[in-house]
Amino acid sequence: MRFDSIIIGGGIAGMTCAIRCAEKGLSCAVISSGMSALHFASGSIDLLGRFPSDSVVTNPFDQMPDFINHNPEHPYARCGEKAIADSLQYFTDQLQQQSLQLCNNGRQNHFHLTTYGTLTPTYLSQKSVYSPELEKAFFENQKMALISFEGFRDFHVPLISANLPGQTLFQNRQVTTGTVDLSPLIRSQKNPHEFRSIDISRMLETDEDLQKIADHINELAGDAGIIGLPACLGFIHHASVYEKLQRLVGRPVYEIPTLPPSILGMRLDHALKTRFSNLGGVFIAGDKVVRGEMQSGKLSGVYTENHGKTLLKAGSVVLASGSFFSGGLISDSAGIREPVFNLDLTYEKDRKQWARGLFFQPESHQFLEFGVKTNEQLNPFDSSGHLIDNLYCAGAILAGYNPIREGSGGGVAISTGYTAAEMIIGRTASTGAARP
Amino acid sequence: MINLDNISFDHCIKCTVCTVYCPVARVTHLYPGPKFSGPDTERLRIKNPDLLDDSLKYCSNCKRCEIVCPSNVNIADIIRLASANNPKRKLSLRDLILSSTDLIGQIATRTAVIVNWTMTLSPLRRFMQLILGLSHERAFPKYASSSFSKWAVRQTRAQEIYPEKVIYFHGCYVNYNNPDLGKSVVQVLNRLNIGVVTTAEKCCGIPLISNNRLEEAKKHARHNIDVLKKAVGDSDMKILLTSSSCCLALDHEYKNLLEMDTTGIQGQIELITKFLYETFEQGETPSLKPLRLTVAYHAPCHLEHMGGVVYTVELLKKIPGLNLKLLHSECCGISGTYGFKEENYAISQAIGQNLFDQINDLKPDLVVTDCETCKWQIEFNTVYQVVHPITLLAEAMGCQNILKTGGK
């Protein structure tokens, strides 16, 4: 089996790359081992949220030239300003094709509320999280309601409402809280305490339950002008659930991320995969790449657990297997390694420097900056320092950036995934070495 | 004692991704989902086997949880073993019948005309639901009047002339319900100058595993491993299968779930579509006549689990003129014997509804899938005929005119 490009990893970086390649007519396979980190993510795309001083970046595009100048090894420096902007627009357009609308605040960042009741700057959000209309409604209404579901363990109204007054945007606001009791709607012995975000999403996807829940929300919200709810407003049918709910409660509604499984992230995952499949891409799920096959300095293909002795051949390969959480990087007593190709990494040898004393602190942790070292074209080096020029790295596996401290995780994934695709497209066109 | 060889439940980070994508949990609250039934309660069961939840029986063993798990937990295997090792478990007559495919097949092929007719009678089906707990609404598969294995034995001499040979594990479906598919396999392979050897195989054991009869399944596995190993001998002969679930049993369940020694057959087992795809790729593509048909391909759960879907799809793409539409991969709901049980009927139908809707929207000439029980479920719920990929390929190779389009 041969493909023009094989992408290892089905997260944001891998899927952005895969969609771009497939759209340009390349035969393309994504190999994914289990669902991606999108299921644990807020579903908003951060581009550049914070300066090293911890102050908020208002306009990430204005800051980018300076940021790249100061961080020449940063993945953003590999992509360049134009590709960063193009890639975000591309990503937005591709999701729009699957009826998932992402909104931005022009060239500026906007804030979204976290499941902790804090505000965090981000660049792209689903329209139920941020839209110019929601922003307008937010500033026009002093009174707002924060409503959840009785017994739902993955969203804590008291925690959020306790943190809100500390946020500048929420000072002097009247926030009423309430919980909807779902138990009369449950047609089984299941207890609402067992409900996760997905169960509630599915209930809201049925018109009958939606109507009853909306009535209840309306009652609890009183005269609040805007209503915040946990992000459970439908999974596959989110667009119609959101529209119907707003109509039923007669005022703007916005979603706040919950603990995993994140419905907001799952919507992105579903839209990306559907788009890729519509473009004729091959998605190989639940399989793990175990090693690559090298032939005179080039990668000729990869072996996986399920395909056994069969080599999956590729003109180019993209490694977008994520960081430690997704298994793209492994840390053990011997050190840190990249398990598929044993690539050369950038990381601090002194373990004491890896993490700081406190889990939450603005400087974040150094281990988040560890990853694969690449040249300017995103090509990595093998363990003996030889460049592999038809292997590209994208997303969280890359060294040289701190997604938490900078607020840049989504932006790096999209821009490096897109840039890797552009490199492959250019290379395939120039060598003509695409199809067998 | 805690078995330290099997602590994959400990890798679970409680992310709930498995439950999100579980087809059963999607349609019923009766099933708490694979996370709860698998890794969550496994740690309790290790301490006390009596802490067994009755809801385990709702798991259909589709194994989609294992495909989506980001932490490599063998969720379905944990659930399977827990149900089978339940000290309070009693084997019902219904489950005994459903899982004894060889015995039922042998009786039914001998009396096929009567069996096929009587199973269409509503009073009999109602009686069977009452006495056995088999859903009366479900249509039962038709039996052939003569088995494939009998036919295959008569072919032995004809197959000897081929220099290259493969072993064909036909499974119960080809043997008792659809010998024509097996005959197509032999014709297709013969056209490629490859001879076909069959063995005195028994049921692969998947229905036994699904009905918690692990000891019985092990006996079948032992028998099959022995006869197949003997047939392979010191050659490098491949063991080919047309049924994706039999393939899962031989290639995965024997070793991982039943803990059998599969030396001698491991590495030889392959789904036939992969074998043919690779043979074609090596330059031996036969001439294929165009099939001007729109076909919808449904990927069976067990084939997804093994990563074999890509080969079937790429093989089908080689047939000229074929307008191939890939259905969004979803469980059809039948899961072998699961959907035949009275208590699962409604769940099984609800799971498959999305798939049936997709097919009805597409209005294809035919539906194609590698799994026989998916075929029964789709034919039961739509007006479309469902065929195996090899049936299409045999048609394109001009082997035999067996394909009847336009309804089932």
Side-chain angles (χ1 to χ4, degrees):
Chain A
M1 185 123 329
R2 189 191 186 280
F3 299 93
D4 295 331
S5 60
I6 288 181
I7 287 117
I8 307 168
I12 301 191
M15 292 314 294
T16 305
C17 181
I19 289 170
R20 181 71 179 154
C21 288
E23 194 198 37
K24 286 286 168 184
L26 271 61
S27 65
C28 187
V30 174
I31 305 170
S32 145
S33 95
M35 285 292 178
S36 77
L38 272 169
H39 292 68
F40 309 86
S42 71
S44 287
I45 305 296
D46 299 348
L47 175 55
L48 189 62
R50 288 181 191 276
F51 291 113
S53 62
D54 194 34
S55 59
V56 168
V57 172
T58 312
N59 190 322
F61 289 105
D62 286 355
Q63 296 302 327
M64 202 55 84
D66 206 34
F67 181 81
I68 288 177
N69 257 336
H70 279 97
N71 302 282
E73 296 295 308
H74 196 284
Y76 279 154
R78 306 279 194 246
C79 302
E81 284 165 66
K82 185 178 181 303
I84 298 169
D86 289 352
S87 67
L88 289 164
Q89 188 58 49
Y90 181 75
F91 186 79
T92 309
D93 293 345
Q94 293 303 309
L95 291 186
Q96 185 70 55
Q97 302 249 10
Q98 299 307 133
S99 308
L100 183 61
Q101 194 184 337
L102 294 182
C103 295
N104 58 27
N105 182 15
R107 285 165 59 84
Q108 297 195 356
N109 277 326
H110 60 267
F111 284 102
H112 82 84
L113 205 53
T114 69
T115 193
Y116 218 61
T118 56
L119 288 167
T120 195
T122 190
Y123 177 65
L124 285 172
S125 287
Q126 286 163 46
K127 74 167 182 183
S128 52
V129 172
Y130 171 84
S131 70
E133 297 78 47
L134 274 179
E135 184 178 293
K136 189 160 164 277
F138 180 82
F139 285 113
E140 279 172 358
N141 289 285
Q142 278 302 303
K143 286 187 180 173
M144 53 183 302
L146 188 58
I147 292 168
S148 183
F149 303 96
E150 188 81 50
F152 178 39
R153 294 175 299 179
D154 295 333
F155 189 84
H156 292 260
V157 172
L159 177 69
I160 296 170
S161 59
N163 273 332
L164 282 184
Q167 312 295 318
T168 329
L169 281 173
F170 283 83
Q171 277 164 6
N172 307 318
R173 276 186 174 266
Q174 257 179 284
V175 180
T176 51
T177 60
T179 49
V180 177
D181 184 7
L182 295 174
S183 49
L185 302 177
I186 303 171
R187 289 161 287 266
S188 74
Q189 295 142 328
K190 194 155 177 164
N191 185 311
H193 284 82
E194 294 167 38
F195 272 46
R196 308 300 296 261
S197 53
I198 185 68
D199 301 294
I200 300 173
S201 293
R202 284 179 185 143
M203 285 183 85
L204 288 167
E205 283 179 345
T206 63
D207 284 343
E208 197 190 335
D209 287 346
L210 180 65
Q211 174 74 52
K212 287 180 185 152
I213 293 168
D215 290 348
H216 209 140
I217 291 172
N218 231 345
E219 224 169 90
L220 290 165
D223 61 350
I226 179 165
I227 304 170
L229 290 163
C232 300
L233 308 183
F235 171 28
I236 306 288
H237 307 291
H238 59 92
S240 74
V241 171
Y242 185 57
E243 187 207 328
K244 284 179 199 164
L245 184 66
Q246 292 206 101
R247 207 171 51 230
L248 290 169
V249 298
R251 51 197 135 178
V253 168
Y254 68 92
E255 288 188 292
I256 306 163
T258 66
L259 291 178
S262 163
I263 301 290
L264 289 160
M266 284 161 51
R267 288 178 198 151
L268 288 178
D269 176 85
H270 181 76
L272 290 168
K273 283 179 186 157
T274 313
R275 179 74 189 133
F276 179 57
S277 149
N278 290 348
L279 289 167
V282 174
F283 193 88
I284 301 174
D287 199 3
K288 205 170 187 170
V289 176
V290 285
R291 65 184 176 90
E293 175 86 358
M294 298 296 293
Q295 213 171 47
S296 48
K298 277 196 192 311
L299 194 58
S300 53
V302 295
Y303 290 101
T304 76
E305 276 178 3
N306 281 340
H307 292 267
K309 285 184 272 184
T310 305
L311 178 69
L312 300 177
K313 294 180 205 145
S316 304
V317 177
V318 179
L319 184 65
S321 49
S323 181
F324 300 99
F325 180 72
S326 303
L329 297 173
I330 303 231
S331 166
D332 57 26
S333 55
I336 292 175
R337 64 195 159 86
E338 183 284 305
V340 180
F341 304 104
N342 197 21
L343 298 174
D344 194 13
L345 304 179
T346 301
Y347 77 97
E348 169 63 55
K349 300 290 181 294
D350 178 9
R351 276 175 182 263
K352 289 193 205 79
Q353 307 298 319
W354 289 8
R356 294 177 201 274
L358 293 172
F359 188 74
F360 289 115
Q361 55 190 45
E363 301 85 357
S364 183
H365 302 286
Q366 209 189 340
F367 75 84
L368 288 162
E369 293 163 34
F370 303 164
V372 174
K373 186 196 289 182
T374 70
N375 68 359
E376 294 200 343
Q377 282 75 45
L378 298 171
N379 302 127
F381 302 87
D382 68 15
S383 54
S384 37
H386 297 299
L387 185 84
I388 310 175
D389 79 351
N390 66 336
L391 176 63
Y392 299 87
C393 294
I397 196 163
L398 290 167
Y401 79 110
N402 190 316
I404 304 294
R405 189 184 64 222
E406 300 161 2
S408 61
V412 167
I414 291 169
S415 59
T416 54
Y418 182 85
T419 301
E422 292 296 306
M423 304 271 180
I424 292 170
I425 294 159
R427 159 190 205 111
T428 314
S430 68
T431 59
R435 291 246 150 72
Chain B
M1 268 297 274
I2 295 177
N3 176 8
L4 289 177
D5 295 336
N6 186 15
I7 51 162
S8 94
F9 69 87
D10 216 22
H11 299 146
C12 172
I13 59 163
K14 313 296 165 203
C15 70
T16 319
V17 163
C18 54
T19 300
V20 168
Y21 296 98
C22 170
V24 181
R26 177 166 64 79
V27 301
T28 175
H29 291 153
L30 292 168
Y31 185 49
K35 176 176 87 76
F36 181 85
S37 295
D40 279 9
T41 38
E42 183 66 7
R43 51 183 67 238
L44 303 177
R45 288 187 291 257
I46 282 178
K47 289 184 177 166
N48 183 354
D50 290 336
L51 286 169
L52 204 93
D53 192 304
D54 200 35
S55 63
L56 284 177
K57 66 174 185 229
Y58 288 106
C59 167
S60 74
N61 202 26
C62 73
K63 288 180 173 274
R64 285 197 179 253
C65 48
E66 294 186 355
I67 300 173
V68 298
C69 175
S71 311
N72 245 327
V73 181
N74 302 326
I75 311 167
D77 288 355
I78 293 172
I79 297 172
R80 213 66 273 134
L81 288 172
S83 329
N85 296 333
N86 177 4
K88 287 173 277 187
R89 182 176 64 82
K90 282 197 201 95
L91 181 68
S92 69
L93 178 61
R94 188 258 324 259
D95 293 358
L96 185 78
I97 292 175
L98 280 178
S99 56
S100 303
T101 48
D102 270 325
L103 180 69
I104 301 298
Q106 279 168 24
I107 298 168
T109 40
R110 284 185 189 133
T111 52
V113 181
I114 303 162
V115 169
N116 291 342
W117 175 66
T118 50
M119 288 306 282
T120 61
L121 302 176
S122 175
L124 177 79
R125 298 223 302 241
R126 282 188 187 278
F127 178 74
M128 283 177 41
Q129 170 159 334
L130 198 69
I131 302 296
L132 294 172
L134 285 166
S135 168
H136 80 270
E137 285 168 278
R138 186 66 67 193
F140 282 79
K142 297 250 186 299
Y143 282 90
S145 49
S146 180
S147 71
F148 172 75
S149 53
K150 275 190 192 155
W151 180 85
V153 167
R154 293 199 296 271
Q155 306 302 313
T156 314
R157 187 164 294 170
Q159 297 302 313
E160 275 167 7
I161 59 164
Y162 296 95
E164 190 192 340
K165 288 190 195 68
V166 293
I167 300 158
Y168 176 42
F169 188 97
H170 47 72
C172 300
Y173 166 69
V174 162
N175 204 19
Y176 304 116
N177 304 101
N178 192 357
D180 283 348
L181 173 56
K183 292 173 192 170
S184 296
V185 167
V186 175
Q187 285 180 321
V188 165
L189 289 165
N190 287 174
R191 278 287 174 94
L192 297 165
N193 214 17
I194 299 168
V196 179
V197 176
T198 54
T199 60
E201 62 174 63
K202 282 188 177 179
C203 165
C204 68
I206 275 279
L208 295 166
I209 292 168
S210 298
N211 286 285
N212 301 319
R213 297 173 65 192
L214 293 196
E215 283 314 310
E216 205 60 33
K218 280 183 190 173
K219 284 184 202 157
H220 281 234
R222 183 75 275 150
H223 172 88
N224 287 334
I225 293 168
D226 286 346
V227 296
L228 291 169
K229 202 154 80 175
K230 202 173 150 211
V232 174
D234 44 17
S235 75
D236 191 34
M237 258 198 276
K238 293 281 182 201
I239 302 162
L240 302 185
L241 298 96
T242 34
S243 160
S244 43
S245 289
C246 297
C247 192
L248 179 87
L250 265 64
D251 205 25
H252 179 274
E253 308 287 48
Y254 282 6
K255 187 161 172 261
N256 297 324
L257 187 78
L258 303 178
E259 296 176 326
M260 307 297 292
D261 176 8
T262 53
T263 325
I265 66 161
Q266 203 76 40
Q268 307 305 113
I269 302 153
E270 234 164 48
L271 199 77
I272 190 160
T273 50
K274 182 179 181 192
F275 176 83
L276 290 175
Y277 172 81
E278 289 182 340
T279 307
F280 287 11
E281 280 298 284
Q282 282 154 17
E284 291 175 39
T285 311
S287 70
L288 298 171
K289 69 170 186 191
L291 297 184
R292 309 243 173 255
L293 296 168
T294 297
V295 300
Y297 175 70
H298 162 66
C301 298
H302 287 169
L303 192 57
E304 284 275 10
H305 189 272
M306 293 182 285
V309 174
V310 65
Y311 298 105
T312 299
V313 169
E314 292 302 315
L315 184 68
L316 289 172
K317 280 185 187 166
K318 292 194 184 289
I319 301 176
L322 198 69
N323 181 16
L324 180 66
K325 302 279 185 193
L326 303 184
L327 298 164
H328 178 68
S329 173
E330 290 192 73
C331 180
C332 73
I334 190 88
S335 288
T337 57
Y338 183 86
F340 284 92
K341 300 178 182 179
E342 184 188 359
E343 68 275 21
N344 297 338
Y345 176 75
I347 295 172
S348 161
Q349 291 295 91
I351 291 172
Q353 196 55 53
N354 285 345
L355 182 69
F356 315 146
D357 290 346
Q358 281 192 67
I359 295 170
N360 289 328
D361 287 348
L362 262 176
K363 301 184 178 60
D365 296 315
L366 286 171
V367 178
V368 182
T369 190
D370 318 70
C371 170
E372 54 275 12
T373 63
C374 297
K375 167 189 158 80
W376 297 333
Q377 173 78 332
I378 296 167
E379 289 190 338
F380 178 61
N381 285 287
T382 70
V383 298
Y384 301 101
Q385 187 195 356
V386 184
V387 299
H388 193 277
I390 295 304
T391 309
L392 273 189
L393 189 71
E395 180 81 9
M397 286 170 74
C399 290
Q400 195 181 50
N401 210 4
I402 38 179
L403 199 61
K404 296 178 267 308
T405 52
K408 42 193 177 183

